[in-house]
Amino acid sequence: MSDEIKQSIAETAKLVSDIRSEVAEIKGAGDVVSREKIERMEKALGEALATKAAVEARLAAVETAAARPLAMKGEAPDELRAAFKSYLRDPSETNRLAYEAKSVNGSTGSQGGVLVAPTFAADLNRIALDNAVVRSLAKVVAVSSPDYNEIIDQMDQGVGIVGEMDTRSETAAGTFAKVTPTHGEIYANAATSNHILKDALYDVEGNLLASIARKMGVYEDQLFVSGTGVGRPTGLLNGSTIGVVKTGVAGDFSSKAFDDLTNLKYAVKAEYAANGTFLLNSTVAAKLAKVTNLNGDYLWRQSVVAGEPDMILGRPVAISEAMPAIAASSKSILFGDFKRGYLITDIPTSVELVVDRVTQKGFTIFYVSKRVGGCVLDANALKALQFAV
């Protein structure tokens, strides 16, 4: 566990505390200067909370990876990694064949690319996880094709109770629902100078992974939140699948924001709420961080332990910039058990790499694509706070 990450979390926590203290000092002032100062602090507070959440997610990922056995960390044989790096530096036919001979995956020769080794696909998802907040919360399943269905128990089986010698009547049979995620191919490009590729010390694989995985992670979060389901995942906020709790005010909290969040939390059944998480963006977080109850206690509980998330009403908070800002009729806050509420499907064997040294003279363009799916799994597990009458 990195001391630098711990220090970063501690510094951010102190910044949030300082901003809150300053807000409290000027609270109630009605002059223009004070209002402008509060607006600047609100922006700084939102940025600080988002930074803290990102650093904590990174720390959690580091600790999880460190706890895995070596065989689970996606370590590839040295000769396979060496062959792969040689192909990245020089995508000649000789290097492609040498890589394929050592890889369990084959070629997509007609497109001029290769299906990457499982280790590259695993590393791609691992790095993307830092930027894909929904992926870290949801149920993620590796599948072999887009023709995947999840069967959901509707929990409506009949039950009864009798005495020891009483006759047992037949109870009603339970029903099941089929959930089918929609899929799409997500892709990204990264360009590198051919001169850099000739430098033996340049980590071509690591830099390629970092650049493309970040792009994919951010875009994945957008798809998992608002994807239309047409040639892409079906997002959490798509349609009316998830129930809503309304604030009673278009584009804002009610006069008692504390009550709005309380209503949202308890709109989710206890079996789901017990593992519930609040999902929102940093601007909404900045507003909630200043909300207090009648006794002046803050709704937002700042974490004082490295790696532990901030809390609202006793449940953790996750910040994703893919969630919408507060506006009329927006569903800007989600709460519930995302592992039971949202399904993400990965097709590890679909990760493809094309190396292009022709399109842009003097540069090598790496094109990476993969298929991913998603849909609401159990709508009862989640509720949205809608800023509407």
Side-chain angles (χ1 to χ4, degrees):
M1 186 165 58
S2 170
D3 290 337
E4 293 180 1
I5 298 178
K6 284 184 176 180
Q7 182 179 354
S8 178
I9 292 174
E11 290 174 351
T12 307
K14 184 178 183 301
L15 175 60
V16 171
S17 178
D18 291 345
I19 293 174
R20 274 182 166 169
S21 297
E22 197 167 350
V23 169
E25 289 177 5
I26 62 174
K27 194 173 182 180
D31 58 277
V32 176
V33 175
S34 295
R35 286 199 300 270
E36 291 178 348
K37 191 172 184 181
I38 289 177
E39 288 176 0
R40 289 196 302 272
M41 286 189 292
E42 282 184 349
K43 182 179 179 182
L45 182 58
E47 292 173 351
L49 290 170
T51 299
K52 182 174 180 291
V55 173
E56 287 172 342
R58 181 183 164 202
L59 176 59
V62 169
E63 291 179 330
T64 301
R68 292 191 188 118
L70 181 61
M72 296 176 62
K73 293 182 181 178
E75 297 294 341
D78 291 341
E79 62 272 17
L80 175 57
R81 283 202 179 276
F84 185 55
K85 289 181 179 180
S86 295
Y87 173 72
L88 293 179
R89 293 181 187 279
D90 179 13
S92 64
E93 185 70 7
T94 300
N95 285 341
R96 182 179 67 81
L97 292 174
Y99 165 65
E100 289 175 1
K102 293 178 173 62
S103 173
V104 296
N105 287 311
S107 171
T108 59
S110 61
Q111 288 81 37
V114 297
L115 294 178
V116 302
T119 50
F120 183 90
D123 287 345
L124 191 68
N125 281 336
R126 176 179 54 78
I127 297 174
L129 190 63
D130 291 341
N131 300 285
V133 179
V134 177
R135 175 178 284 274
S136 69
L137 299 174
K139 178 180 181 179
V140 182
V141 178
V143 300
S144 58
S145 78
D147 302 322
Y148 176 80
N149 297 310
E150 187 96 1
I151 304 301
I152 303 300
D153 187 347
Q154 300 289 74
M155 301 297 289
D156 56 356
Q157 296 90 343
V159 296
I161 184 170
V162 295
E164 182 179 357
M165 303 302 293
D166 294 342
T167 301
R168 273 72 172 166
S169 301
E170 184 177 350
T171 60
T175 58
F176 298 86
K178 183 172 73 171
V179 176
T180 304
T182 57
H183 289 76
E185 183 170 281
I186 185 171
Y187 66 92
N189 296 315
T192 303
S193 164
N194 290 339
H195 290 291
I196 293 178
L197 290 178
K198 293 176 183 177
D199 184 348
L201 297 179
Y202 178 70
D203 182 7
V204 59
E205 182 186 17
N207 283 281
L208 170 64
L209 270 170
S211 175
I212 289 181
R214 289 192 190 98
K215 294 178 184 178
M216 285 188 168
V218 171
Y219 190 54
E220 270 191 352
D221 235 26
Q222 296 172 8
L223 294 173
F224 297 149
V225 169
S226 56
T228 62
V230 181
R232 63 195 63 205
T234 302
L236 286 156
L237 300 181
N238 180 266
S240 57
T241 306
I242 294 175
V244 300
V245 174
K246 296 183 179 181
T247 63
V249 179
D252 203 353
F253 288 99
S254 70
S255 59
K256 296 180 180 179
F258 199 104
D259 291 351
D260 294 337
L261 271 294
T262 301
N263 292 337
L264 174 63
K265 178 182 177 182
Y266 289 102
V268 177
K269 292 182 179 179
E271 62 176 299
Y272 303 112
N275 296 308
T277 298
F278 287 94
L279 182 67
L280 52 147
N281 71 21
S282 59
T283 59
V284 179
K287 286 181 176 292
L288 293 183
K290 299 188 295 296
V291 173
T292 59
N293 63 14
L294 294 176
N295 296 323
D297 301 319
Y298 282 103
L299 170 72
W300 191 289
R301 295 294 182 182
Q302 183 77 22
S303 171
V304 294
V305 179
E308 292 294 323
D310 293 344
M311 309 284 275
I312 293 178
L313 298 175
R315 298 309 307 161
V317 180
I319 296 179
S320 169
E321 301 305 340
M323 287 293 289
I326 294 175
S329 296
S330 67
K331 300 174 185 176
S332 301
I333 304 176
L334 283 169
F335 175 73
D337 186 344
F338 286 84
K339 278 207 171 2
R340 295 177 65 179
Y342 193 74
L343 172 68
I344 295 173
T345 50
D346 285 325
I347 307 178
T349 55
S350 72
V351 182
E352 180 185 346
L353 169 68
V354 175
V355 183
D356 176 6
R357 303 190 75 172
V358 177
T359 302
Q360 192 172 351
K361 298 294 185 280
F363 290 83
T364 296
I365 299 174
F366 300 100
Y367 170 93
V368 176
S369 63
K370 68 171 184 173
R371 291 187 67 77
V372 65
C375 68
V376 172
L377 184 59
D378 183 352
N380 294 316
L382 299 164
K383 288 289 186 289
L385 185 64
Q386 186 173 27
F387 293 80
V389 178

